[in-house]
mmCIF file of all heavy atoms in Angstrom:
data_model
loop_
_atom_site.group_PDB
_atom_site.id
_atom_site.type_symbol
_atom_site.label_atom_id
_atom_site.label_comp_id
_atom_site.label_asym_id
_atom_site.label_seq_id
_atom_site.Cartn_x
_atom_site.Cartn_y
_atom_site.Cartn_z
ATOM 1 N N LYS X 1 -25.020 58.971 54.660
ATOM 2 C CA LYS X 1 -26.073 59.965 54.441
ATOM 3 C C LYS X 1 -27.456 59.357 54.573
ATOM 4 O O LYS X 1 -28.350 59.941 55.214
ATOM 5 C CB LYS X 1 -25.907 60.600 53.057
ATOM 6 C CG LYS X 1 -26.898 61.718 52.786
ATOM 7 C CD LYS X 1 -26.657 62.351 51.418
ATOM 8 C CE LYS X 1 -27.678 63.455 51.151
ATOM 9 N NZ LYS X 1 -27.466 64.085 49.823
ATOM 10 N N TYR X 2 -27.678 58.161 53.971
ATOM 11 C CA TYR X 2 -29.015 57.582 54.008
ATOM 12 C C TYR X 2 -29.369 57.124 55.429
ATOM 13 O O TYR X 2 -30.544 57.157 55.831
ATOM 14 C CB TYR X 2 -29.146 56.434 53.002
ATOM 15 C CG TYR X 2 -28.839 55.063 53.513
ATOM 16 C CD1 TYR X 2 -29.854 54.205 53.938
ATOM 17 C CD2 TYR X 2 -27.527 54.591 53.581
ATOM 18 C CE1 TYR X 2 -29.589 52.941 54.412
ATOM 19 C CE2 TYR X 2 -27.247 53.325 54.052
ATOM 20 C CZ TYR X 2 -28.272 52.502 54.465
ATOM 21 O OH TYR X 2 -28.002 51.251 54.938
ATOM 22 N N GLN X 3 -28.350 56.725 56.227
ATOM 23 C CA GLN X 3 -28.615 56.335 57.615
ATOM 24 C C GLN X 3 -28.978 57.554 58.456
ATOM 25 O O GLN X 3 -29.864 57.491 59.314
ATOM 26 C CB GLN X 3 -27.390 55.625 58.196
ATOM 27 C CG GLN X 3 -27.183 54.226 57.624
ATOM 28 C CD GLN X 3 -25.905 53.586 58.115
ATOM 29 O OE1 GLN X 3 -24.883 54.256 58.315
ATOM 30 N NE2 GLN X 3 -25.931 52.280 58.315
ATOM 31 N N LYS X 4 -28.304 58.680 58.206
ATOM 32 C CA LYS X 4 -28.652 59.922 58.903
ATOM 33 C C LYS X 4 -30.081 60.332 58.577
ATOM 34 O O LYS X 4 -30.831 60.790 59.446
ATOM 35 C CB LYS X 4 -27.684 61.032 58.506
ATOM 36 C CG LYS X 4 -26.283 60.886 59.073
ATOM 37 C CD LYS X 4 -25.396 62.040 58.633
ATOM 38 C CE LYS X 4 -23.989 61.900 59.190
ATOM 39 N NZ LYS X 4 -23.103 63.010 58.749
ATOM 40 N N THR X 5 -30.455 60.161 57.314
ATOM 41 C CA THR X 5 -31.819 60.503 56.892
ATOM 42 C C THR X 5 -32.837 59.666 57.641
ATOM 43 O O THR X 5 -33.891 60.163 58.058
ATOM 44 C CB THR X 5 -31.970 60.300 55.372
ATOM 45 O OG1 THR X 5 -31.033 61.127 54.689
ATOM 46 C CG2 THR X 5 -33.379 60.646 54.917
ATOM 47 N N ARG X 6 -32.520 58.377 57.831
ATOM 48 C CA ARG X 6 -33.436 57.500 58.558
ATOM 49 C C ARG X 6 -33.592 57.950 60.005
ATOM 50 O O ARG X 6 -34.698 57.918 60.568
ATOM 51 C CB ARG X 6 -32.932 56.048 58.501
ATOM 52 C CG ARG X 6 -33.202 55.377 57.164
ATOM 53 C CD ARG X 6 -32.767 53.929 57.198
ATOM 54 N NE ARG X 6 -33.245 53.219 56.003
ATOM 55 C CZ ARG X 6 -33.033 51.934 55.779
ATOM 56 N NH1 ARG X 6 -32.340 51.208 56.638
ATOM 57 N NH2 ARG X 6 -33.503 51.361 54.682
ATOM 58 N N VAL X 7 -32.492 58.353 60.629
ATOM 59 C CA VAL X 7 -32.553 58.825 62.013
ATOM 60 C C VAL X 7 -33.388 60.100 62.098
ATOM 61 O O VAL X 7 -34.244 60.249 62.981
ATOM 62 C CB VAL X 7 -31.132 59.075 62.569
ATOM 63 C CG1 VAL X 7 -31.215 59.729 63.946
ATOM 64 C CG2 VAL X 7 -30.353 57.769 62.651
ATOM 65 N N GLU X 8 -33.155 61.028 61.167
ATOM 66 C CA GLU X 8 -33.903 62.292 61.159
ATOM 67 C C GLU X 8 -35.385 62.046 60.900
ATOM 68 O O GLU X 8 -36.255 62.699 61.493
ATOM 69 C CB GLU X 8 -33.312 63.229 60.107
ATOM 70 C CG GLU X 8 -31.916 63.736 60.461
ATOM 71 C CD GLU X 8 -31.178 64.312 59.273
ATOM 72 O OE1 GLU X 8 -31.783 64.374 58.173
ATOM 73 O OE2 GLU X 8 -30.005 64.684 59.435
ATOM 74 N N THR X 9 -35.669 61.096 60.028
ATOM 75 C CA THR X 9 -37.064 60.745 59.737
ATOM 76 C C THR X 9 -37.725 60.142 60.968
ATOM 77 O O THR X 9 -38.894 60.407 61.255
ATOM 78 C CB THR X 9 -37.132 59.748 58.567
ATOM 79 O OG1 THR X 9 -36.557 60.351 57.408
ATOM 80 C CG2 THR X 9 -38.565 59.335 58.272
ATOM 81 N N PHE X 10 -36.972 59.323 61.689
ATOM 82 C CA PHE X 10 -37.490 58.716 62.922
ATOM 83 C C PHE X 10 -37.848 59.785 63.947
ATOM 84 O O PHE X 10 -38.913 59.738 64.575
ATOM 85 C CB PHE X 10 -36.442 57.763 63.496
ATOM 86 C CG PHE X 10 -36.655 57.412 64.936
ATOM 87 C CD1 PHE X 10 -37.784 56.720 65.336
ATOM 88 C CD2 PHE X 10 -35.710 57.773 65.892
ATOM 89 C CE1 PHE X 10 -37.986 56.388 66.669
ATOM 90 C CE2 PHE X 10 -35.899 57.451 67.221
ATOM 91 C CZ PHE X 10 -37.042 56.761 67.618
ATOM 92 N N LEU X 11 -36.987 60.777 64.105
ATOM 93 C CA LEU X 11 -37.215 61.814 65.100
ATOM 94 C C LEU X 11 -38.329 62.774 64.699
ATOM 95 O O LEU X 11 -39.116 63.198 65.539
ATOM 96 C CB LEU X 11 -35.911 62.595 65.345
ATOM 97 C CG LEU X 11 -34.769 61.782 65.981
ATOM 98 C CD1 LEU X 11 -33.499 62.609 66.037
ATOM 99 C CD2 LEU X 11 -35.161 61.304 67.381
ATOM 100 N N ARG X 12 -38.393 63.084 63.392
ATOM 101 C CA ARG X 12 -39.414 64.042 62.933
ATOM 102 C C ARG X 12 -39.972 63.620 61.571
ATOM 103 O O ARG X 12 -39.680 64.243 60.548
ATOM 104 C CB ARG X 12 -38.807 65.449 62.845
ATOM 105 C CG ARG X 12 -38.376 66.028 64.185
ATOM 106 C CD ARG X 12 -37.849 67.452 64.005
ATOM 107 N NE ARG X 12 -38.890 68.353 63.508
ATOM 108 C CZ ARG X 12 -38.651 69.604 63.107
ATOM 109 N NH1 ARG X 12 -37.422 70.087 63.132
ATOM 110 N NH2 ARG X 12 -39.641 70.353 62.672
ATOM 111 N N PRO X 13 -40.783 62.553 61.541
ATOM 112 C CA PRO X 13 -41.325 62.091 60.248
ATOM 113 C C PRO X 13 -42.228 63.115 59.575
ATOM 114 O O PRO X 13 -42.333 63.157 58.357
ATOM 115 C CB PRO X 13 -42.110 60.823 60.626
ATOM 116 C CG PRO X 13 -42.386 60.958 62.081
ATOM 117 C CD PRO X 13 -41.230 61.715 62.655
ATOM 118 N N GLU X 14 -42.881 63.939 60.398
ATOM 119 C CA GLU X 14 -43.795 64.946 59.838
ATOM 120 C C GLU X 14 -43.050 66.055 59.091
ATOM 121 O O GLU X 14 -43.654 66.810 58.320
ATOM 122 C CB GLU X 14 -44.647 65.561 60.955
ATOM 123 C CG GLU X 14 -43.904 66.459 61.929
ATOM 124 C CD GLU X 14 -43.100 65.704 62.986
ATOM 125 O OE1 GLU X 14 -43.207 64.458 63.025
ATOM 126 O OE2 GLU X 14 -42.376 66.364 63.745
ATOM 127 N N LYS X 15 -41.739 66.155 59.311
ATOM 128 C CA LYS X 15 -40.940 67.180 58.649
ATOM 129 C C LYS X 15 -40.938 66.993 57.133
ATOM 130 O O LYS X 15 -40.836 67.958 56.376
ATOM 131 C CB LYS X 15 -39.508 67.147 59.197
ATOM 132 C CG LYS X 15 -38.605 68.244 58.657
ATOM 133 C CD LYS X 15 -37.216 68.136 59.272
ATOM 134 C CE LYS X 15 -36.286 69.190 58.694
ATOM 135 N NZ LYS X 15 -34.918 69.102 59.266
ATOM 136 N N ASP X 16 -41.048 65.737 56.707
ATOM 137 C CA ASP X 16 -41.034 65.451 55.268
ATOM 138 C C ASP X 16 -42.010 64.310 54.993
ATOM 139 O O ASP X 16 -41.610 63.218 54.590
ATOM 140 C CB ASP X 16 -39.612 65.100 54.820
ATOM 141 C CG ASP X 16 -39.486 64.978 53.299
ATOM 142 O OD1 ASP X 16 -40.432 65.400 52.603
ATOM 143 O OD2 ASP X 16 -38.462 64.460 52.809
ATOM 144 N N GLU X 17 -43.286 64.572 55.234
ATOM 145 C CA GLU X 17 -44.309 63.523 55.132
ATOM 146 C C GLU X 17 -44.391 62.907 53.744
ATOM 147 O O GLU X 17 -44.701 61.728 53.599
ATOM 148 C CB GLU X 17 -45.683 64.087 55.509
ATOM 149 C CG GLU X 17 -45.858 64.317 56.992
ATOM 150 C CD GLU X 17 -47.271 64.727 57.341
ATOM 151 O OE1 GLU X 17 -48.042 64.981 56.400
ATOM 152 O OE2 GLU X 17 -47.607 64.794 58.529
ATOM 153 N N LYS X 18 -44.138 63.697 52.720
ATOM 154 C CA LYS X 18 -44.256 63.195 51.352
ATOM 155 C C LYS X 18 -42.925 62.730 50.782
ATOM 156 O O LYS X 18 -42.854 62.325 49.626
ATOM 157 C CB LYS X 18 -44.864 64.278 50.458
ATOM 158 C CG LYS X 18 -46.299 64.627 50.846
ATOM 159 C CD LYS X 18 -46.923 65.629 49.889
ATOM 160 C CE LYS X 18 -48.361 65.927 50.281
ATOM 161 N NZ LYS X 18 -48.995 66.915 49.367
ATOM 162 N N GLY X 19 -41.887 62.786 51.613
ATOM 163 C CA GLY X 19 -40.566 62.339 51.167
ATOM 164 C C GLY X 19 -40.055 61.229 52.059
ATOM 165 O O GLY X 19 -40.620 60.137 52.100
ATOM 166 N N THR X 20 -38.998 61.535 52.827
ATOM 167 C CA THR X 20 -38.365 60.506 53.660
ATOM 168 C C THR X 20 -39.254 60.015 54.792
ATOM 169 O O THR X 20 -39.047 58.923 55.323
ATOM 170 C CB THR X 20 -37.044 61.040 54.239
ATOM 171 O OG1 THR X 20 -37.317 62.262 54.972
ATOM 172 C CG2 THR X 20 -36.031 61.325 53.138
ATOM 173 N N GLY X 21 -40.237 60.839 55.191
ATOM 174 C CA GLY X 21 -41.135 60.428 56.273
ATOM 175 C C GLY X 21 -42.364 59.677 55.806
ATOM 176 O O GLY X 21 -43.213 59.304 56.628
ATOM 177 N N TRP X 22 -42.469 59.428 54.496
ATOM 178 C CA TRP X 22 -43.662 58.809 53.928
ATOM 179 C C TRP X 22 -43.917 57.405 54.490
ATOM 180 O O TRP X 22 -45.047 57.079 54.874
ATOM 181 C CB TRP X 22 -43.528 58.744 52.408
ATOM 182 C CG TRP X 22 -44.678 58.096 51.696
ATOM 183 C CD1 TRP X 22 -44.754 56.811 51.257
ATOM 184 C CD2 TRP X 22 -45.931 58.705 51.355
ATOM 185 N NE1 TRP X 22 -45.956 56.560 50.651
ATOM 186 C CE2 TRP X 22 -46.712 57.728 50.693
ATOM 187 C CE3 TRP X 22 -46.468 59.981 51.539
ATOM 188 C CZ2 TRP X 22 -47.979 57.983 50.223
ATOM 189 C CZ3 TRP X 22 -47.746 60.241 51.059
ATOM 190 C CH2 TRP X 22 -48.485 59.243 50.420
ATOM 191 N N HIS X 23 -42.866 56.571 54.546
ATOM 192 C CA HIS X 23 -43.027 55.193 54.999
ATOM 193 C C HIS X 23 -43.641 55.139 56.400
ATOM 194 O O HIS X 23 -44.645 54.447 56.631
ATOM 195 C CB HIS X 23 -41.679 54.475 55.016
ATOM 196 C CG HIS X 23 -41.093 54.221 53.668
ATOM 197 N ND1 HIS X 23 -40.709 55.237 52.832
ATOM 198 C CD2 HIS X 23 -40.814 53.057 53.022
ATOM 199 C CE1 HIS X 23 -40.225 54.716 51.711
ATOM 200 N NE2 HIS X 23 -40.277 53.397 51.804
ATOM 201 N N VAL X 24 -43.001 55.855 57.323
ATOM 202 C CA VAL X 24 -43.448 55.803 58.720
ATOM 203 C C VAL X 24 -44.834 56.407 58.874
ATOM 204 O O VAL X 24 -45.694 55.860 59.585
ATOM 205 C CB VAL X 24 -42.440 56.545 59.627
ATOM 206 C CG1 VAL X 24 -42.954 56.576 61.067
ATOM 207 C CG2 VAL X 24 -41.085 55.867 59.575
ATOM 208 N N THR X 25 -45.090 57.517 58.194
ATOM 209 C CA THR X 25 -46.401 58.176 58.279
ATOM 210 C C THR X 25 -47.505 57.250 57.802
ATOM 211 O O THR X 25 -48.545 57.087 58.470
ATOM 212 C CB THR X 25 -46.411 59.474 57.445
ATOM 213 O OG1 THR X 25 -45.391 60.351 57.925
ATOM 214 C CG2 THR X 25 -47.759 60.165 57.542
ATOM 215 N N GLN X 26 -47.306 56.627 56.649
ATOM 216 C CA GLN X 26 -48.319 55.726 56.100
ATOM 217 C C GLN X 26 -48.477 54.467 56.948
ATOM 218 O O GLN X 26 -49.579 53.930 57.084
ATOM 219 C CB GLN X 26 -47.973 55.353 54.654
ATOM 220 C CG GLN X 26 -48.005 56.523 53.685
ATOM 221 C CD GLN X 26 -49.342 57.227 53.669
ATOM 222 O OE1 GLN X 26 -50.394 56.592 53.656
ATOM 223 N NE2 GLN X 26 -49.315 58.559 53.683
ATOM 224 N N SER X 27 -47.362 54.002 57.537
ATOM 225 C CA SER X 27 -47.431 52.837 58.406
ATOM 226 C C SER X 27 -48.268 53.136 59.645
ATOM 227 O O SER X 27 -49.111 52.324 60.048
ATOM 228 C CB SER X 27 -46.015 52.410 58.821
ATOM 229 O OG SER X 27 -46.062 51.316 59.710
ATOM 230 N N LYS X 28 -48.066 54.297 60.235
ATOM 231 C CA LYS X 28 -48.856 54.684 61.406
ATOM 232 C C LYS X 28 -50.335 54.803 61.054
ATOM 233 O O LYS X 28 -51.212 54.401 61.843
ATOM 234 C CB LYS X 28 -48.351 56.024 61.953
ATOM 235 C CG LYS X 28 -47.023 55.949 62.681
ATOM 236 C CD LYS X 28 -46.651 57.335 63.208
ATOM 237 C CE LYS X 28 -45.375 57.319 64.002
ATOM 238 N NZ LYS X 28 -45.022 58.667 64.506
ATOM 239 N N ILE X 29 -50.623 55.343 59.884
ATOM 240 C CA ILE X 29 -52.022 55.445 59.437
ATOM 241 C C ILE X 29 -52.630 54.050 59.312
ATOM 242 O O ILE X 29 -53.771 53.808 59.729
ATOM 243 C CB ILE X 29 -52.108 56.197 58.088
ATOM 244 C CG1 ILE X 29 -51.739 57.671 58.280
ATOM 245 C CG2 ILE X 29 -53.502 56.068 57.483
ATOM 246 C CD1 ILE X 29 -51.598 58.448 56.984
ATOM 247 N N SER X 30 -51.863 53.111 58.749
ATOM 248 C CA SER X 30 -52.350 51.728 58.586
ATOM 249 C C SER X 30 -52.678 51.103 59.928
ATOM 250 O O SER X 30 -53.747 50.508 60.115
ATOM 251 C CB SER X 30 -51.299 50.874 57.873
ATOM 252 O OG SER X 30 -51.085 51.310 56.562
ATOM 253 N N VAL X 31 -51.742 51.236 60.862
ATOM 254 C CA VAL X 31 -51.934 50.631 62.187
ATOM 255 C C VAL X 31 -53.137 51.258 62.885
ATOM 256 O O VAL X 31 -53.993 50.561 63.446
ATOM 257 C CB VAL X 31 -50.662 50.789 63.046
ATOM 258 C CG1 VAL X 31 -50.919 50.302 64.474
ATOM 259 C CG2 VAL X 31 -49.494 50.019 62.427
ATOM 260 N N GLY X 32 -53.224 52.585 62.828
ATOM 261 C CA GLY X 32 -54.330 53.272 63.491
ATOM 262 C C GLY X 32 -55.681 53.013 62.858
ATOM 263 O O GLY X 32 -56.704 52.946 63.545
#
């Protein structure tokens, strides 16, 4: 289940920006 969540977050991080997509969203903000 947690691996599926990671794949879904990878494909659509904006779908859950404050949940499972938080890491990637904040990382992109840092880089940018």
Side-chain angles (χ1 to χ4, degrees):
K1 184 178 179 180
Y2 92 97
Q3 288 175 325
K4 288 180 180 179
T5 301
R6 283 184 170 181
V7 173
E8 291 163 3
T9 300
F10 162 64
L11 295 174
R12 295 183 63 189
E14 70 281 354
K15 184 179 177 181
D16 188 13
E17 286 186 351
K18 295 184 179 180
T20 56
W22 179 262
H23 291 65
V24 176
T25 301
Q26 295 303 316
S27 178
K28 286 182 177 180
I29 291 172
S30 295
V31 174

